[in-house]
Amino acid sequence: MLDLHGKIRSRILRALLPGVPKVVWHKRDFRDTLPVKLALRPYRSSMLFTDRYHAAVERVVGRALPRGKLQYFLGPEDLAVADAILRAAGLDPARPLLGISPGANWATKRWPVERFAGLARRALDRGIQVAVQGSAAEAELGKTVARLAPGAVDLCGRLDLRGLGGFIARCAAFAANDSGPMHMARALGVPTLAFFGSTDPAMFDFRGHEVLFAGVPCAPCSFFGRRRCPRGHFRCMLDLTEDRAWAALQPLLSAGRLPLLSA
Ligand code: SF4
């Protein structure tokens, strides 16, 4: 068993697997994490996460391993599940569709939902269908986008994992915060616009995609996000304007499916 996190929950999981050889991979060195936790300096990822994980597996097997591609594998029914939900919501899976994912676990990882709605309006004005994705707990975000961008369809709480993969695969482009759906979109080769505020985009490979990061001096102030901005100004996200996001999104909407990236 390879524990890539070394956290309390993964320790519990390890304890539940007696007799299984275990290797713990320390994702970050405490000399790197401590100053960030104490707000002494911003976090800077020294390498891509995929490289870290690859190196961890190589250490386990004791030899160099070939690189694969970052890839999300759709199940045989995923597209059909998504298509049924899209059609029931009045969307045509065969027509251009912008997927919007305004949620994220932590507040400091969320670009303002009103700005997502602004992107939705601009896409709708150009004849592009728009659907908002999120969990049931993110229902308010979906309702807000649908209210501020009439014509955008709110799918929050309606897509399970199968439907989510199929839905993202149907999108011409995907706009999302630093979140699971954003990574799924990249792994499906869907041109993706990612918003990063308090976390570090250097952890991930955005070749072929677009990432917006304001680069304010205090950012990134965390590894996973925070409940609120410790400085109170939240400039890491508020400095990312809707105009800038639209300029980044437009080429993605016409790019077509991207080749999958080598990990
Ligand atoms: S603006 Fe606030 S939340 Fe964003 S990186 Fe700076 S301190 Fe962190």
Side-chain angles (χ1 to χ4, degrees):
M1 176 194 183
L2 174 58
D3 179 355
L4 289 167
H5 281 271
K7 295 286 175 58
I8 291 173
R9 273 181 288 187
S10 60
R11 280 167 203 248
I12 294 170
L13 196 58
R14 271 154 42 201
L16 293 172
L17 297 169
V20 177
K22 300 167 184 91
V23 176
V24 181
W25 176 259
H26 294 286
K27 202 154 66 173
R28 300 181 182 94
D29 193 300
F30 84 96
R31 287 168 296 187
D32 193 24
T33 57
L34 193 60
V36 180
K37 286 183 176 166
L38 295 175
L40 298 176
R41 65 166 171 78
Y43 172 58
R44 294 275 181 264
S45 177
S46 56
M47 63 197 297
L48 294 173
F49 264 35
T50 47
D51 289 345
R52 279 189 185 280
Y53 294 151
H54 193 84
V57 178
E58 285 182 331
R59 183 181 288 187
V60 171
V61 301
R63 62 186 168 86
L65 294 170
R67 299 263 164 175
K69 290 182 187 298
L70 180 66
Q71 191 167 1
Y72 181 90
F73 294 91
L74 288 174
E77 296 170 358
D78 293 5
L79 285 172
V81 168
D83 286 353
I85 292 168
L86 290 172
R87 288 197 184 95
L91 297 168
D92 180 351
R95 283 189 47 225
L97 172 66
L98 169 64
I100 283 182
S101 185
N105 272 350
W106 298 93
T108 59
K109 291 171 86 172
R110 292 189 197 143
W111 195 52
V113 65
E114 297 80 10
R115 298 186 190 181
F116 275 106
L119 292 185
R121 282 194 301 272
R122 294 185 196 218
L124 289 162
D125 285 348
R126 286 154 182 82
I128 298 166
Q129 304 177 108
V130 177
V132 191
Q133 172 277 325
S135 66
E138 293 165 340
E140 275 309 311
L141 296 173
K143 284 182 194 158
T144 302
V145 174
R147 177 170 51 81
L148 298 177
V153 171
D154 174 16
L155 297 179
C156 286
R158 292 160 70 181
L159 297 164
D160 61 9
L161 192 58
R162 291 183 310 164
L164 177 59
F167 162 67
I168 295 173
R170 287 291 189 225
C171 291
F174 199 68
N177 296 314
D178 175 15
S179 61
M182 181 275 287
H183 295 300
M184 286 173 68
R186 289 189 306 124
L188 282 161
V190 174
T192 300
L193 172 62
F195 298 91
F196 274 72
S198 62
T199 50
D200 188 6
M203 295 186 285
F204 309 109
D205 188 345
F206 286 100
R207 281 176 293 165
H209 305 278
E210 279 289 345
V211 58
L212 293 186
F213 180 64
V216 291
C218 51
C221 70
S222 66
F223 309 112
F224 309 112
R226 296 176 182 272
R227 288 186 210 287
R228 63 185 69 83
C229 170
R231 310 226 172 187
H233 53 62
F234 199 33
R235 276 189 48 211
C236 62
M237 279 300 193
L238 295 181
D239 279 6
L240 301 176
T241 65
E242 190 186 308
D243 280 347
R244 188 172 160 192
W246 179 245
L249 182 59
Q250 275 181 296
L252 298 178
L253 279 165
S254 48
R257 188 54 50 98
L258 298 168
L260 295 171
L261 298 174
S262 296

